[in-house]
Amino acid sequence: MNAPKWRIWLVTALVCGWGILALRFAQRQEWPMAGLCLLLLLVNVITLWRLTQRGK
């Protein structure tokens, strides 16, 4: 998939943001929100992986 560079950077920033939020919620022991952030982090990691695949 030929993704524009700005989209790859945007998804990378989202991955970092969801990871930071997940850590913050885990420190406060707010487990449902930490789980939701981890789920969104996983979805964005999969999206980033798909965007960076060459020749598919």
Side-chain angles (χ1 to χ4, degrees):
M1 185 183 293
N2 284 335
K5 288 185 180 185
W6 64 267
R7 187 167 180 206
I8 293 172
W9 281 107
L10 175 66
V11 176
T12 302
L14 285 171
V15 167
C16 294
W18 288 123
I20 291 167
L21 277 176
L23 289 174
R24 291 288 290 169
F25 283 124
Q27 287 176 345
R28 294 181 182 180
Q29 296 181 352
E30 297 178 19
W31 303 117
M33 288 302 292
L36 179 63
C37 289
L38 286 174
L39 176 65
L40 290 167
L41 176 119
L42 180 64
V43 168
N44 281 292
V45 164
I46 292 170
T47 301
L48 185 62
W49 178 74
R50 290 181 62 210
L51 287 175
T52 56
Q53 289 298 303
R54 301 278 183 205
K56 290 190 177 186

